[in-house]
Amino acid sequence: MSAAPTPSRRVPAPDLAAWLGVAPFFVFAAMFLIAPTAWLLVGAFQDRDGAFTLANIVRLGQPSIRLSYWLSLEVSTASAGLGALLGLALALAALRGGLPSWLRPTLMTFSGVASNFAGVPLAFAFMATLGRLGLVTALLRNIGVDLYAHGFNILTFWGLTITYLYFQIPLMMLVVTPAIDGLRHEWAEAAEMLGASSWQYWRMIALPILWPSVMGAALLLFANAFGAIATAYALTGSSFNIVPILLYAQIRGDVLHDTNLGYALAVGMLAITGASNLAYLALRSRADRWLR
Amino acid sequence: MKRGHLGAWLAVALGGIYFLAPLVATFEFSLRMRRGEYSFDAYRVVFASGNFQASFLYSTIVALVTIVVAALIVVPAAYFVQLRLPRLRAIVEFITLLPLVIPAIVLVFGFIRLYGSSSALPLTATSLGTDALLTFGYVGLGLPYMYRSVDAGLRAIDVRTLTEAAESQGAGAATILFHIILPNIRSAILSGAFLTFAIVIGEFTFASLLDRPAFGPYLQLIGASRAYEPAALAVMAFALTWACLGLIQLVGGAPAPGVRR
């Protein structure tokens, strides 16, 4: 230390009050977020006697479990892909389509509500809409389109996907709106001055800039669908065997007859949602360069 | 430009149909209980049901306790991170994102194993202990929203000046936190609270696997056993979500875009 006069400056002692203030947060995180997850992680790599093993992970490959993962991946991919595409289209139409300005806040408020309207009530709503006795099913039958005669069923893959879109599309709109707002008008003007058509502007400027945001958002939607259980469970009971429903049955009654395999099932889910979230964060930080 | 206009209207109209049809259909379905005419019978039956009242009351209480606990954990942490421990910001923000990464069903599985009746801290052995576990689970679910809301609220006020002014008057850290900071970020805490309430009130996974008599499992049970009541309950749930999100706008702290459950 130099001899510079620092009369009013207090020596920074360990800031006890501040550490005391953040302590509850860290204790909470350790006890109710980290420790429970770590417990499963450790258990997934142990055999019955507690010795290290990779056998549980390997056994995730058995046909019934693999089928569950496959089904989950399909539903999540379909609902994330379609949700991202339709959400982007809707957001672009609402924000850049030259529509009246009252539409934007209306859509955003509705998106906030709809993206939080999930779980059991959402399943009820779609039963009442597209179930056997649902209003839309009946209306379509009246005009000669019998959905159920054509093999549609709300309790199947497409039924679940259409239901998931109800929170996926609004979520996409919320996530992608800042990116669309980040498209500066100057860029469109500059492109136009250089002789670019509207199509060229979108294809060569706007979409490449939006791309990381859209991909990132799609991954977010994917993780969102992959971890969801309540809607699927309320809609299909345990007949539609996606991973969360299998895990639910495992927690309830050890249907796999193997505790450690159950841990591995959970850790497999965690790995997938974790990876897609990490990729989302990476893509978002790339996309944010354009938003400064 | 004319064509773009038309395409945009078409997109919004189709979106509108997709999003409004289930609401209309659900409402219409909920009125069909009496044969041959529309009535509010399904709603009457639901409201009169003891299980509805008990489970809704239970979930409301859990939600309120969750909000208080979440605020007590988050506000001091966010305040001290902002003012005196900025180097902790990255790790704190990372932790607040964890509940979005860890699926609820995975987390509750860990709870059951870690705090099960044969463990060192057998919270699930008593019903009060399980209630506490459910509440902590919900604090976790709400953590990303509560933290971001409070953090944004703290950024919007001049925390340093307020703190220094109070310190110069001889106030201690607790006094500053509860009498100066808290009232100034009330609307931020309220937005976090309403969002937490909307998420927690009908939550199914935690409540069902911890065997709590909450609203979510009640909804699921009714869905599996009744015809018209589920539609009525869905209408109510949608209205409740709308009310919570509407109240957030009313208190003036709209959630940052991109928040998600």
Side-chain angles (χ1 to χ4, degrees):
Chain A
M1 280 288 282
S2 70
T6 53
S8 65
R9 182 99 177 256
R10 274 167 295 174
V11 181
D15 196 340
L16 248 165
W19 283 102
L20 220 60
V22 295
F25 176 86
F26 283 104
V27 171
F28 169 82
M31 284 184 71
F32 298 106
L33 290 174
I34 294 162
T37 315
W39 181 281
L40 300 179
L41 244 139
V42 171
F45 292 97
Q46 281 179 337
D47 62 19
R48 237 169 258 273
D49 307 316
F52 175 84
T53 176
L54 289 173
N56 303 312
I57 307 295
V58 173
R59 268 181 296 160
L60 287 180
Q62 70 192 52
S64 63
I65 297 181
R66 197 169 33 175
L67 200 70
S68 282
Y69 271 103
W70 189 240
L71 207 53
S72 267
L73 286 174
E74 281 182 330
V75 170
S76 312
T77 307
S79 77
L82 285 172
L85 225 61
L86 297 172
L88 176 67
L90 210 51
L92 280 175
L95 302 179
R96 293 289 158 118
L99 300 183
S101 56
W102 56 263
L103 229 115
R104 181 191 168 122
T106 313
L107 271 176
M108 286 302 134
T109 308
F110 184 83
S111 294
V113 177
S115 65
N116 281 299
F117 183 63
V120 183
L122 179 65
F124 294 168
F126 271 81
M127 283 300 280
T129 310
L130 286 168
R132 246 170 231 288
L133 299 171
L135 186 66
V136 171
T137 312
L139 285 178
L140 286 174
R141 197 182 295 127
N142 283 345
I143 59 167
V145 183
D146 193 341
L147 286 178
Y148 277 74
H150 286 86
F152 175 83
N153 192 322
I154 189 73
L155 309 180
T156 57
F157 173 80
W158 282 111
L160 194 60
T161 303
I162 291 176
T163 308
Y164 276 14
L165 284 178
Y166 202 83
F167 58 80
Q168 296 281 52
I169 294 174
L171 180 60
M172 179 68 187
M173 290 177 63
L174 289 178
V175 177
V176 87
T177 290
I180 295 176
D181 280 336
L183 290 176
R184 304 221 186 105
H185 287 287
E186 292 92 320
W187 297 339
E189 285 160 13
E192 200 183 340
M193 288 223 291
L194 292 169
S197 69
S198 166
W199 161 247
Q200 280 172 321
Y201 162 71
W202 280 105
R203 197 178 71 82
M204 300 170 89
I205 297 172
L207 286 180
I209 289 172
L210 285 180
W211 187 240
S213 307
V214 172
M215 274 309 289
L219 285 162
L220 193 71
L221 264 55
F222 175 87
N224 195 34
F226 198 87
I229 172 173
T231 309
Y233 189 76
L235 206 54
T236 67
S238 47
S239 66
F240 197 72
N241 225 358
I242 54 176
V243 184
I245 286 183
L246 180 63
L247 184 57
Y248 183 89
Q250 167 67 12
I251 298 171
R252 264 276 140 94
D254 195 14
V255 290
L256 302 171
H257 307 293
D258 185 338
T259 319
N260 292 94
L261 185 55
Y263 296 154
L265 191 68
V267 168
M269 273 188 81
L270 190 62
I272 291 172
T273 56
S276 45
N277 269 289
L278 280 179
Y280 158 67
L281 289 176
L283 280 165
R284 198 181 67 178
S285 69
R286 224 187 107 162
D288 281 350
R289 282 184 317 184
W290 293 100
L291 293 178
R292 289 197 191 115
Chain B
M1 221 48 228
K2 187 85 174 79
R3 228 191 63 192
H5 245 73
L6 245 138
W9 274 117
L10 194 69
V12 172
L14 285 177
I17 290 172
Y18 172 74
F19 283 106
L20 293 181
L23 301 181
V24 175
T26 308
F27 184 60
E28 195 265 353
F29 202 85
S30 74
L31 302 178
R32 279 198 225 167
M33 193 173 197
R34 201 178 295 175
R35 196 169 285 272
E37 59 172 326
Y38 284 146
S39 71
F40 284 100
D41 282 7
Y43 295 84
R44 254 193 294 279
V45 172
V46 165
F47 279 124
S49 140
N51 283 341
F52 167 80
Q53 293 169 4
S55 65
F56 193 77
L57 182 69
Y58 177 86
S59 281
T60 307
I61 293 170
V62 171
L64 293 178
V65 177
T66 297
I67 288 165
V68 172
V69 173
L72 285 177
I73 289 176
V74 165
V75 174
Y79 168 76
F80 284 115
V81 163
Q82 179 136 331
L83 196 64
R84 288 175 19 199
L85 298 167
R87 68 207 140 107
L88 291 184
R89 175 174 290 279
I91 174 82
V92 168
E93 281 184 357
F94 175 76
I95 287 173
T96 62
L97 289 178
L98 280 181
L100 302 178
V101 178
I102 308 169
I105 187 148
V106 173
L107 194 57
V108 73
F109 191 17
F111 275 24
I112 290 168
R113 291 294 155 182
L114 198 55
Y115 302 111
S117 42
S118 58
S119 72
L121 183 57
L123 283 175
T124 61
T126 63
S127 105
L128 193 67
T130 319
D131 291 340
L133 199 55
L134 181 68
T135 308
F136 283 122
Y138 286 173
V139 171
L141 290 189
L143 191 64
Y145 310 103
M146 190 55 106
Y147 181 81
R148 265 186 264 187
S149 195
V150 166
D151 191 48
L154 286 172
R155 280 168 201 265
I157 61 173
D158 192 344
V159 174
R160 190 164 299 277
T161 309
L162 281 176
T163 303
E164 281 168 4
E167 270 173 351
S168 75
Q169 301 294 314
T175 312
I176 296 172
L177 209 51
F178 287 102
H179 293 284
I180 312 288
I181 301 299
L182 211 60
N184 272 295
I185 56 167
R186 205 170 27 203
S187 70
I189 296 176
L190 279 176
S191 346
F194 287 128
L195 203 52
T196 304
F197 191 89
I199 292 168
V200 160
I201 189 72
E203 199 278 341
F204 171 74
T205 315
F206 271 91
S208 165
L209 285 170
L210 290 175
D211 269 326
R212 293 290 82 197
F215 192 49
Y218 162 81
L219 286 174
Q220 198 275 328
L221 193 70
I222 293 295
S225 58
R226 300 300 186 93
Y228 302 101
E229 288 90 334
L233 284 162
V235 170
M236 290 190 240
F238 190 81
L240 198 64
T241 311
W242 191 278
C244 286
L245 278 276
L247 282 168
I248 291 176
Q249 307 234 314
L250 209 65
V251 298
V259 297
R260 69 181 178 101
R261 50 166 65 249

